[in-house]
Amino acid sequence: ALLVFIEHRFYGESKPFGNDSYKSADTLGYLTSTQALADFAVLITSLKQNLSAVDAPVVVFGGSYGGMLASWFRLKYPHVAMGALASSAPILQFDDITPWSSFYDAVSQDFKSESLNCFSVIKAVWDVLDYRGSNDSGLLELSKTFRACKTVRFPSSLSNWLWTAFTYTAMVDYPTPANFMMNLPAYPVKEMCKIIDSFPVGADVVEKAFTAASLYYNYTGDQKCFEMEGGDDPHGLSGWGWQACTEMVMPMTVSNESMFPPSGFSYEEKSEGCFASYEVRPRMNWITTEYGGHKIDKVLKRFGSNIIFSNGMRDPWSRGGVLKNISSSIIALVTEKGAHHLDFRSATKDDPDWVVEQRRQEVEIIHGWIDQYNKDIAQM
């Protein structure tokens, strides 16, 4: 069997407060999902021919956006791949299939489940930042508090810095130490909330939020100052802006129940912003037209097969994933304490039993697919 891992550089969510600058689309050379899948189909087919393994079964794997590609690849190229494992793949995060506020509601719930005080501190910090950052002297003091390498020009830069830390920490709330996004301890959300809860009563809310967020950016303690504006792109997410402006349009809002400032979604504003950055307009319904998504349980039950959708509910992207079995061979494996494609991370001696069991189930299911495939080939 050929096990093919489909990887793509883009995942995550673009920053909500603006002030980002992107290269124009014509200098990037990014592929749409349709182009990427077609290229993978050609590559896999050629590889099988070169290996003299034309009849070898192929199972594709992917996590996050790669997981979306893996599941779509199985549906669009069933003659190339006989199965797919799609981890943390939010294929239902489009149109009105999933509530638009679900992503940030999930991030908020992660923190709230650890400490109501932690949740409340983060919820309170945004207005304080806006108020203190409304003039130059306030920005200077905030820059000192945040240990900025240079005095910040916009309070939104500080908000983005905090927002990114809290959002990505929720995504990668792994049960063991990891360095996927940043070097982080086990259960980093819990550790952030411990930091906030350790402050004495009456301590400054900004200082609490900054110190907690520093766990994300500086757990190793080697950062002397932080680039708040004009820094590099450590996670390689710059291209996601272009993708989100073409086909990967995932409407997101922030509800009043969230720990983030409430916000809505406007297609018109999105479109104008995309045109200003890339001279393109987003196609709101492209993904669901190309790959489906609406009434997915009824649709895939009729014609789909051999797909595992794995999700961890600590990961906010799980809300846009397939969380229930669709058929006997389109299976949802859900872990309550799992995070962003945790099942794809290297095994460690400290992995909880539920992670070990999830991986065992995945291997068992895939073995079953391959065995059945080989039986079918033998009878041809």
Side-chain angles (χ1 to χ4, degrees):
L2 293 178
L3 307 180
V4 180
F5 194 84
I6 294 181
E7 187 176 18
H8 203 282
R9 72 175 64 190
F10 309 134
Y11 50 84
E13 173 60 10
S14 55
K15 294 180 181 178
F17 289 99
N19 296 328
D20 285 342
S21 61
Y22 296 101
K23 297 178 181 178
S24 60
D26 59 359
T27 67
L28 294 171
Y30 296 136
L31 295 177
T32 65
S33 60
T34 306
Q35 293 169 319
L37 294 183
D39 283 353
F40 277 119
V42 172
L43 176 64
I44 293 170
T45 301
S46 297
L47 179 63
K48 292 174 69 174
Q49 292 173 344
N50 291 339
L51 295 175
S52 299
V54 175
D55 290 331
V58 174
V59 179
V60 291
F61 298 74
S64 196
Y65 178 56
M68 301 166 81
L69 292 178
S71 65
W72 293 334
F73 190 89
R74 166 60 183 158
L75 296 175
K76 289 189 73 70
Y77 296 95
H79 58 293
V80 178
M82 49 76 67
L85 171 51
S87 180
S88 300
I91 63 169
L92 305 181
Q93 197 79 48
F94 299 95
D95 295 0
D96 58 354
I97 303 173
T98 299
W100 291 359
S101 67
S102 63
F103 183 92
Y104 289 113
D105 284 347
V107 175
S108 302
Q109 182 56 40
D110 283 354
F111 282 84
K112 195 173 187 178
S113 68
E114 297 296 343
S115 162
L116 181 58
N117 175 62
C118 179
F119 167 88
S120 300
V121 166
I122 297 171
K123 188 177 180 69
V125 76
W126 315 107
D127 287 342
V128 178
L129 282 178
D130 286 343
Y131 176 75
R132 294 185 187 175
S134 60
N135 56 64
D136 290 343
S137 61
L139 282 174
L140 179 61
E141 288 304 312
L142 285 172
S143 299
K144 294 177 181 177
T145 299
F146 277 73
R147 290 170 48 195
C149 297
K150 298 178 182 178
T151 302
V152 297
R153 296 176 297 163
F154 310 101
S156 60
S157 300
L158 303 174
S159 297
N160 273 333
W161 192 84
L162 293 177
W163 189 297
T164 296
F166 298 137
T167 300
Y168 286 129
T169 299
M171 276 176 53
V172 297
D173 193 32
Y174 297 132
T176 55
N179 61 353
F180 171 56
M181 303 293 283
M182 294 287 200
N183 282 296
L184 289 171
Y187 298 111
V189 171
K190 180 187 293 290
E191 295 303 316
M192 276 189 172
C193 286
K194 283 182 180 178
I195 291 171
I196 288 177
D197 291 345
S198 69
F199 276 82
V201 175
D204 181 41
V205 66
V206 173
E207 183 69 31
K208 293 178 183 178
F210 162 76
T211 306
S214 296
L215 178 81
Y216 177 77
Y217 294 104
N218 196 27
Y219 178 60
T220 57
D222 56 358
Q223 297 296 312
K224 303 304 180 185
C225 64
F226 300 107
E227 289 286 353
M228 300 288 176
E229 295 170 337
D232 58 5
D233 179 25
H235 303 322
L237 300 180
S238 60
W240 182 257
W242 177 82
Q243 271 196 308
C245 278
T246 52
E247 57 177 359
M248 302 298 291
V249 185
M250 298 178 171
M252 289 190 178
T253 60
V254 181
S255 69
N256 291 326
E257 288 70 39
S258 169
M259 68 183 192
F260 299 103
S263 64
F265 176 84
S266 164
Y267 173 78
E268 290 72 21
E269 290 180 7
K270 175 80 172 179
S271 180
E272 290 305 314
C274 289
F275 191 79
S277 295
Y278 307 107
E279 297 185 356
V280 297
R281 301 284 185 184
R283 296 175 290 183
M284 282 291 292
N285 309 114
W286 175 257
I287 289 295
T288 51
T289 302
E290 181 74 5
Y291 304 112
H294 291 281
K295 298 181 179 179
I296 193 171
D297 54 337
K298 295 179 174 60
V299 173
L300 291 192
K301 191 173 184 178
R302 293 191 181 99
F303 84 95
S305 65
N306 292 8
I307 303 175
I308 301 170
F309 291 101
S310 65
N311 282 281
M313 297 307 290
R314 298 290 285 183
D315 177 17
W317 288 115
S318 66
R319 303 315 191 267
V322 176
L323 303 178
K324 294 181 179 180
N325 292 349
I326 292 177
S327 69
S328 60
S329 67
I330 301 182
I331 298 166
L333 296 180
V334 179
T335 55
E336 288 300 318
K337 296 181 180 179
H340 203 53
H341 47 61
L342 171 61
D343 48 336
F344 280 6
R345 293 198 57 77
S346 299
T348 75
K349 62 180 178 59
D350 298 319
D351 285 337
D353 291 343
W354 51 268
V355 178
V356 176
E357 173 60 17
Q358 178 187 10
R359 292 172 179 151
R360 187 201 65 77
Q361 290 182 55
E362 292 171 353
V363 171
E364 181 180 39
I365 292 167
I366 293 170
H367 268 304
W369 296 343
I370 295 172
D371 289 345
Q372 185 60 54
Y373 176 91
N374 288 330
K375 289 178 183 177
D376 293 342
I377 289 293
Q379 294 174 1
M380 292 178 66

